[in-house]
C-alpha cells in the first residue's frame, strides 16, 4: 500500500483572501475595455465571459481542496481512526461537504446570471448583472470562513504527521509513561526522540527505521497510556490505542520493575490486562526495563506472581526479556526476537492466503535428499600446492606456503620489502612476468621516441657550437661596423620619409577648413591677362568690377521704377517682371554648362525644401500638438463616481489648444 502524501496538500487561504485572489485573476485574465457603441452581442459576451471565468476559477480552487484532502471512507482504517481522534470525523466531513455545496451554489449562480445576460439590452444592464453575480459568489465564499480556517489547521497538522506505512514490517512500543520506550527507540533506530525524566514527554506518534535481516523495518514510539476506561482517555492516549488496534505489528510492552516511572508494578500489570485484547494475533514481547536499578531477583514473590499472570490467557507465547536502556543490556536480543517472530507470522499468513503458491510455480525445487557424507571439494591445483609442488611460492618451517608478512620480516621489514605483484600472474609464457611494461602517452610508446645515442649526439652538438664561437671571435669587427652604418643610414632615410608623410597628411587635413585671406584673392588685372591669354575677351571683367564699385557708393537701396511714355505704369510693371525673370534665369545659369543641368539642380532644391516644410511647424515657439487624442488619456478604466474618460480628456485637449493660441493654459476646473 502506498504511503499517503499529506505534505503535498496545498495551502488554503482565508475566505477574504480567496475572494481577492479570484477577483484579481478574473480582472487580469479577461478583457477590460468596452464601449456603449459596441454591438449588444459583443457587450453581452464581454460580461458573460467575466462571470464564467470567475465561476471556473472558484471551481478549480474548491475542486483542488476536495481532491487533495483524504476521504475518510476510502483511506486505511488506521488513518481514518487517527483523523477521527485528532480532528473529529463529523466536523471534518462537514467542512468538506460545505466546500462542495458552495462549489455547486457558485455554479448555479453563474448559470442563472448568464441566462439573464442573454436578454439584457444595454451595457448598463449587463454590467449590473455582472456585479450582482460576482457579489453573490463572493458572499457565498465568505460564509465558508470557518470551514476554510478549520481545513487549513487540519492541513498543517496532517503535514506534521509521520509517514507511516500500515502494510510494512512494524514494531510498536507501548506501556506506561516514562518507562523507557523512547530510549529504546533511540538505541535501535536512527531516530532522535526527546527523552526527559517526567511523564508524557512523547505526545504524538514518532517513527524510526532500522535494518534487520536485509529488510527495512519501521519502529513506532507511542505516547504513554494510563489505566482508566476507554472513554476517559485523552487524544494523546487515543493515538497509541489507534496504532495498536489497526497496525499488524509486533508489540513490545514495557514494564518498569524499578518503579522509578512513578507508577507501581500492580498498575502496570493492570494496564496490560485492560488492553490485552489489542494484542490478539500479534507477536508479544514484555520487556522488564531498568534492570540496572533493580534486578529481577530482587522482586518479591507477589510481584513475581503479577508478572507471571501476564502469561495467562494468551493465544501465543509471551516472551519476557530483561533490558536496560542505560547499559544497553538485552536491547539487541529483544529487537532480534521481535523481528523474527513477526517475520514468521507474516510468512505463515502468506501461506494461508495462498500467496506462496504463485511463488512456488516460478521455482524448481529438487526432491532428492542430500547425501549423508559430503566431503569438502579441494581443487587439484590447491592440493598440489599444499603437497609442495610450487617452489616459487616458498614455504615456512611447517612445510606450508610462506605468508607475505613472514617474507616481509625476512627481507627487511616494512618500508624495505616490496611485494611481488607478478609472482602469481598466469601468462602463456612464464618468462614474460617481469618484462618491462611499456609507457604509453598520446597513443605512442615512449620507448619508441627515445634515441639510444642521444648522449653522443648531444656531445657532438656542444663541441660544434664551441668551435663556431671560437671562429666568430677571431673575425675582425670592422666589417660588422660598416654593415651597421649602412643599415643605420637606410633607417634614417626611411624615418625621414615617414615624418614627411605625416606632415603632408596633417596639412591636407586642415586645407578644407582654412579661411581664404583677402590678400590672397586674385586681382582683376591678373584675371584679364589670363583670359586674353586663353583667347577670350577680358574687358568685361574690368567693366563688371567698376559697376560694383558704383553700386557700392550709391545712396539709394534700389532703383526707382521707370515709367515708360507709351505704356505707363502697367508697361513699366511688365518690363520689371521681364527683367526679374531674366535676372533669375541668369543667376540660375551662373556657373552651370547648360539649361538642363540648371533644371535638375532646381528640382533637387525644391525637393529638399518640401522636406523642410513638412516639419516646419515643429518648433520651440509653435506650440504644436502632435496628437489630438493621445492614448494615455483615452484608454483604461475609472471607478464609479469619477469623471468619465471623455470629459477629462476634452478638458486636457482644450487646455492644450488654449496654450497654443494664447500662450496661457486655462484656469483649473472647479471640480478637479
Amino acid at each position: 500500500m502506498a504511503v499517503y502524501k499529506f505534505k503535498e496538500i496545498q495551502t488554503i487561504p482565508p475566505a477574504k483572501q480567496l475572494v481577492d485572489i479570484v477577483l484579481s485573476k478574473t480582472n487580469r485574465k479577461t478583457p477590460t475595455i468596452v464601449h456603449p457603441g459596441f454591438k449588444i452581442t459583443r457587450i453581452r459576451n464581454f460580461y458573460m465571459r467575466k462571470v464564467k471565468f470567475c465561476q471556473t476559477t472558484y471551481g478549480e480552487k474548491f475542486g483542488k481542496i476536495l481532491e487533495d484532502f483524504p476521504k475518510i471512507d476510502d483511506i486505511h482504517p488506521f488513518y481514518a481512526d487517527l483523523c477521527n481522534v485528532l480532528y473529529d470525523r463529523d466536523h471534518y466531513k462537514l467542512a468538506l461537504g460545505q466546500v462542495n455545496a458552495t462549489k455547486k451554489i457558485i455554479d448555479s449562480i453563474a448559470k442563472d446570471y448568464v441566462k439573464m445576460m442573454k436578454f439584457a439590452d444595454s451595457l448598463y444592464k449587463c454590467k449590473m448583472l455582472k456585479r450582482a453575480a460576482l457579489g453573490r459568489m463572493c458572499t457565498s465564499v465568505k460564509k465558508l470562513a470557518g470551514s476554510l480556517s478549520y481545513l487549513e489547521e487540519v492541513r498543517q497538522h496532517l503535514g506534521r504527521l509521520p509517514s507511516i506505512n500500515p502494510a510494512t514490517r512494524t514494531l510498536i512500543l507501548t506501556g506506561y509513561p516514562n518507562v523507557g520506550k523512547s530510549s529504546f527507540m533511540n538505541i535501535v533506530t536512527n531516530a532522535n526522540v526527546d527523552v526527559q525524566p517526567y511523564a508524557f514527554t512523547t505526545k504524538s506518534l514518532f517513527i524510526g527505521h532500522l535494518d534487520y535481516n536485509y529488510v527495512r523495518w519501521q519502529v513506532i514510539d507511542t505516547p504513554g497510556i494510563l489505566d482508566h476506561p476507554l472513554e476517559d482517555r485523552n487524544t494523546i492516549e487515543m493515538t497509541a490505542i489507534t496504532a495498536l488496534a489497526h497496525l499488524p505489528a509486533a508489540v513490545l510492552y514495557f514494564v518498569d520493575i524499578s518503579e522509578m516511572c512513578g507508577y507501581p508494578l500492580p498498575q502496570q500489570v493492570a494496564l496490560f490486562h485492560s488492553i490485552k485484547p489489542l494484542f490478539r494475533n500479534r507477536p508479544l514481547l514484555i520487556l522488564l526495563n531498568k534492570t540496572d536499578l533493580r534486578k529481577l531477583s530482587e522482586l518479591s514473590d507477589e510481584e513475581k506472581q503479577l508478572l507471571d499472570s501476564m502469561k495467562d490467557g494468551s493465544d501465543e507465547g509471551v516472551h519476557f526479556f530483561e533490558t536496560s536502556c542505560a547499559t544497553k543490556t538485552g536491547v539487541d536480543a529483544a529487537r532480534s526476537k521481535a523481528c523474527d517472530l513477526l517475520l514468521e507470522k507474516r510468512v505463515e499468513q502468506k501461506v494461508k492466503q495462498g500467496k506462496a503458491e504463485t511463488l512456488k510455480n516460478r521455482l524448481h525445487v529438487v526432491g532428492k535428499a542430500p547425501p549423508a557424507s559430503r566431503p569438502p571439494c579441494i581443487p587439484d591445483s590447491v592440493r598440489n600446492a599444499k603437497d609442495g609442488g610450487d617452489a616459487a611460492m616458498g614455504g615456512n618451517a611447517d612445510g606450508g606456503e610462506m605468508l607475505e608478512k613472514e617474507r616481509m620480516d625476512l627481507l627487511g621489514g616494512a618500508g624495505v620489502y616490496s611485494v611481488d605483484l607478478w609472482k602469481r600472474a598466469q601468462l602463456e609464457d612464464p618468462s614474460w612476468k617481469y618484462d618491462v611494461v611499456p609507457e604509453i602517452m598520446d597513443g605512442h610508446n615512449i620507448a619508441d621516441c627515445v634515441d639510444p645515442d642521444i648522449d653522443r649526439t648531444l656531445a657532438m652538438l656542444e663541441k660544434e657550437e664551441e668551435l663556431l664561437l671560437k671562429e666568430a671571435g677571431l673575425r675582425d669587427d670592422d666589417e660588422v661596423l660598416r654593415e651597421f652604418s649602412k643599415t643605420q643610414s637606410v633607417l634614417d632615410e626611411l624615418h625621414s620619409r615617414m615624418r614627411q608623410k605625416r606632415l603632408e597628411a596633417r596639412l591636407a587635413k586642415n586645407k578644407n577648413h582654412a579661411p581664404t585671406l583677402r590678400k590672397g584673392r586674385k586681382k582683376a588685372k591678373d584675371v584679364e591677362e589670363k583670359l586674353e591669354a586663353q583667347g577670350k575677351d577680358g574687358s568685361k571683367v574690368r567693366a563688371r568690377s567698376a559697376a560694383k564699385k558704383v553700386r557700392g557708393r550709391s545712396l539709394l537701396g534700389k532703383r526707382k521704377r521707370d515709367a515708360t511714355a507709351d505704356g505707363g505704369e502697367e508697361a513699366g510693371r511688365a518690363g520689371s517682371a521681364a527683367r526679374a525673370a531674366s535676372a533669375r534665369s541668369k543667376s540660375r545659369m551662373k556657373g552651370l554648362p547648360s539649361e538642363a543641368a540648371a533644371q535638375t539642380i532646381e528640382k533637387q532644391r525644391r525637393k529638399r525644401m518640401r522636406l523642410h516644410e513638412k516639419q516646419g511647424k515643429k518648433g520651440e515657439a509653435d506650440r504644436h500638438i502632435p496628437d489630438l487624442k493621445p492614448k494615455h488619456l483615452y484608454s483604461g478604466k475609472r471607478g464609479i463616481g469619477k469623471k468619465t474618460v471623455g470629459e477629462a480628456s476634452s478638458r486636457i485637449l482644450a487646455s492644450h489648444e488654449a496654450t497654443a493660441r494664447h500662450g496661457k493654459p486655462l484656469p483649473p476646473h472647479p471640480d478637479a
Side-chain angles (χ1 to χ4, degrees):
M1 183 181 293
V3 179
Y4 298 103
K5 298 179 180 180
F6 296 139
K7 293 181 175 61
E8 296 182 1
I9 302 176
Q10 293 184 359
T11 306
I12 301 176
K16 193 173 185 310
Q17 187 177 350
L18 180 61
V19 169
D20 294 341
I21 291 171
V22 174
L23 293 183
S24 175
K25 186 176 181 181
T26 304
N27 197 25
R28 285 185 289 108
K29 297 291 186 179
T30 55
T32 57
I33 298 176
V34 64
H35 296 296
F38 290 170
K39 293 176 66 175
I40 189 62
T41 54
R42 182 175 176 183
I43 296 173
R44 289 172 187 163
N45 291 333
F46 175 85
Y47 286 107
M48 282 193 291
R49 182 175 177 182
K50 286 185 176 293
V51 174
K52 290 179 180 178
F53 188 88
C54 186
Q55 170 212 351
T56 306
T57 308
Y58 275 125
E60 291 175 356
K61 297 289 184 183
F62 291 147
K64 186 65 175 173
I65 293 173
L66 297 173
E67 181 184 353
D68 287 348
F69 275 89
K71 296 178 176 58
I72 296 292
D73 299 331
D74 297 343
I75 60 177
H76 192 274
F78 165 68
Y79 278 112
D81 279 3
L82 191 62
C83 290
N84 185 29
V85 169
L86 296 175
Y87 320 122
D88 187 5
R89 178 196 298 260
D90 296 336
H91 195 179
Y92 178 80
K93 296 178 75 172
L94 187 62
L96 291 179
Q98 288 177 352
V99 172
N100 190 26
T102 304
K103 180 173 178 290
K104 293 180 180 178
I105 290 171
I106 289 175
D107 292 343
S108 64
I109 290 172
K111 182 179 178 182
D112 295 341
Y113 277 88
V114 167
K115 187 183 297 183
M116 285 189 285
M117 277 186 191
K118 292 180 180 179
F119 300 98
D121 56 357
S122 66
L123 185 145
Y124 178 78
K125 289 183 179 180
C126 292
K127 184 176 181 180
M128 291 300 105
L129 288 173
K130 186 265 295 185
R131 288 186 61 192
L134 298 188
R136 287 188 61 187
M137 291 181 191
C138 298
T139 302
S140 61
V141 172
K142 288 180 180 178
K143 291 179 181 178
L144 276 179
S147 298
L148 293 179
S149 61
Y150 167 76
L151 289 176
E152 173 61 17
E153 292 179 3
V154 172
R155 183 199 67 82
Q156 294 176 2
H157 199 281
L158 283 174
R160 291 192 293 266
L161 285 180
S163 299
I164 299 174
N165 187 356
T168 191
R169 297 159 291 275
T170 308
L171 305 180
I172 296 180
L173 314 180
T174 185
Y176 256 90
N178 202 23
V179 293
K181 301 185 295 297
S182 300
S183 301
F184 183 87
M185 183 173 178
N186 290 341
I187 293 173
V188 299
T189 67
N190 295 326
N192 186 18
V193 184
D194 188 22
V195 178
Q196 297 295 339
Y198 50 81
F200 288 106
T201 307
T202 304
K203 297 181 180 180
S204 63
L205 298 178
F206 283 89
I207 187 170
H209 294 87
L210 60 91
D211 293 322
Y212 178 76
N213 206 5
Y214 303 106
V215 289
R216 196 75 166 165
W217 297 70
Q218 67 179 6
V219 183
I220 298 177
D221 181 18
T222 62
I225 306 174
L226 299 179
D227 184 21
H228 46 239
L230 184 65
E231 58 272 8
D232 295 340
R233 290 194 169 100
N234 57 20
T235 304
I236 297 176
E237 295 176 278
M238 287 305 297
T239 56
I241 297 297
T242 303
L244 290 171
H246 294 288
L247 295 180
V251 180
L252 283 72
Y253 184 83
F254 283 76
V255 177
D256 183 7
I257 61 175
S258 67
E259 299 181 353
M260 294 294 293
C261 62
Y263 303 97
L265 192 59
Q267 289 187 12
Q268 301 181 48
V269 176
L271 173 64
F272 175 82
H273 288 297
S274 65
I275 62 174
K276 194 172 184 179
L278 298 174
F279 304 151
R280 187 178 295 116
N281 296 328
R282 288 178 174 81
L284 178 60
L285 282 78
I286 298 176
L287 304 187
L288 306 177
N289 201 18
K290 301 186 181 180
T291 54
D292 56 321
L293 300 177
R294 186 182 183 187
K295 301 293 183 183
L296 185 62
S297 58
E298 299 177 4
L299 298 178
S300 62
D301 295 337
E302 296 179 356
E303 293 173 339
K304 290 181 180 180
Q305 288 179 2
L306 287 173
L307 294 178
D308 292 337
S309 67
M310 300 173 73
K311 297 181 181 180
D312 300 338
S314 59
D315 299 337
E316 302 179 1
V318 179
H319 304 273
F320 286 87
F321 283 89
E322 298 181 26
T323 59
S324 173
C325 295
T327 60
K328 300 183 181 180
T329 305
V331 173
D332 291 338
R335 181 206 61 182
S336 302
K337 185 64 176 178
C339 294
D340 293 337
L341 290 174
L342 184 59
L343 280 178
E344 293 176 5
K345 186 72 175 177
R346 290 169 65 89
V347 171
E348 182 182 350
Q349 288 179 353
K350 290 181 179 179
V351 171
K352 288 181 180 179
Q353 295 172 359
K355 293 182 179 180
E357 297 298 330
T358 58
L359 185 61
K360 286 182 180 179
N361 295 334
R362 291 179 286 173
L363 300 176
H364 176 69
V365 181
V366 180
K368 185 178 179 181
S373 61
R374 300 180 66 182
C377 180
I378 302 174
D380 295 336
S381 59
V382 177
R383 187 180 291 108
N384 294 336
K386 284 189 175 182
D387 294 341
D390 193 355
M393 295 173 65
N396 52 16
D398 299 335
E401 180 186 359
M402 182 181 291
L403 302 177
E404 285 294 333
K405 187 175 185 309
E406 297 174 355
R407 188 177 287 106
M408 180 183 69
D409 296 337
L410 184 64
L411 298 177
V416 178
Y417 172 70
S418 180
V419 180
D420 189 0
L421 301 177
W422 290 98
K423 178 174 60 176
R424 300 180 185 274
Q426 298 178 0
L427 303 177
E428 185 178 350
D429 188 355
S431 62
W432 294 348
K433 287 184 179 181
Y434 300 102
D435 288 352
V436 178
V437 178
E439 298 182 18
I440 305 299
M441 185 176 70
D442 297 335
H444 301 285
N445 190 353
I446 296 178
D448 296 341
C449 304
V450 175
D451 186 4
D453 299 335
I454 189 170
D455 294 333
R456 183 174 59 83
T457 307
L458 181 61
M460 292 174 60
L461 290 174
E462 290 178 348
K463 186 175 181 180
E464 182 179 356
E465 185 179 2
E466 186 178 354
L467 292 174
L468 290 174
L469 291 175
K470 288 181 180 179
E471 183 181 358
L474 296 175
R475 293 179 182 175
D476 192 6
D477 294 339
D478 294 339
E479 184 178 355
V480 176
L481 293 175
R482 283 195 300 272
E483 293 292 335
F484 179 74
S485 62
K486 290 180 181 179
T487 305
Q488 189 65 34
S489 62
V490 172
L491 290 175
D492 291 343
E493 185 178 358
L494 181 62
H495 292 162
S496 176
R497 290 178 182 174
M498 292 171 64
R499 285 194 296 270
Q500 185 176 0
K501 286 184 177 181
R502 287 197 202 101
L503 181 59
E504 291 176 357
R506 189 160 56 247
L507 294 175
K509 183 178 180 181
N510 296 331
K511 185 184 295 183
N512 295 332
H513 304 287
T516 305
L517 300 178
R518 294 184 65 84
K519 64 181 181 179
R521 293 176 180 174
K522 293 182 179 180
K523 297 180 180 180
K525 182 180 178 181
D526 299 336
V527 174
E528 185 179 356
E529 292 177 356
K530 186 175 180 182
L531 290 174
E532 289 178 355
Q534 293 177 356
K536 299 179 181 179
D537 187 9
S539 60
K540 295 181 179 181
V541 176
R542 187 170 295 279
R544 183 181 176 189
S545 176
K548 282 186 177 181
K549 289 180 181 179
V550 171
R551 283 200 302 269
R553 289 192 297 266
S554 176
L555 298 176
L556 298 176
K558 59 182 179 178
R559 293 178 299 171
K560 292 182 179 180
R561 181 178 299 162
D562 297 331
T564 58
D566 52 354
E569 185 178 354
E570 292 181 0
R573 194 174 297 167
S576 176
R579 283 193 300 272
S582 175
R584 282 197 300 272
S585 176
K586 290 180 180 179
S587 64
R588 190 176 63 178
M589 287 292 295
K590 188 183 298 182
L592 296 175
S594 64
E595 181 68 21
Q599 291 178 358
T600 303
I601 291 174
E602 182 66 17
K603 287 181 181 179
Q604 293 177 357
R605 184 185 68 80
R606 289 180 179 178
K607 186 177 181 180
R608 291 196 190 95
M609 289 300 294
R610 280 199 302 271
L611 292 176
H612 286 298
E613 287 172 357
K614 277 187 179 180
Q615 299 178 351
K617 291 185 179 180
K618 286 195 173 181
E620 191 171 340
D622 243 356
R623 308 283 184 180
H624 177 64
I625 300 175
D627 192 359
L628 295 179
K629 289 188 176 183
K631 186 175 180 180
H632 69 280
L633 297 178
Y634 282 84
S635 63
K637 299 184 300 182
R638 289 176 177 268
I640 298 175
K642 303 290 183 66
K643 294 292 183 183
T644 61
V645 175
E647 183 180 346
S649 302
S650 302
R651 176 70 183 169
I652 295 171
L653 181 60
S655 176
H656 281 310
E657 292 177 353
T659 304
R661 290 196 196 97
H662 311 293
K664 291 185 190 178
L666 287 176
H669 197 274
D671 295 338

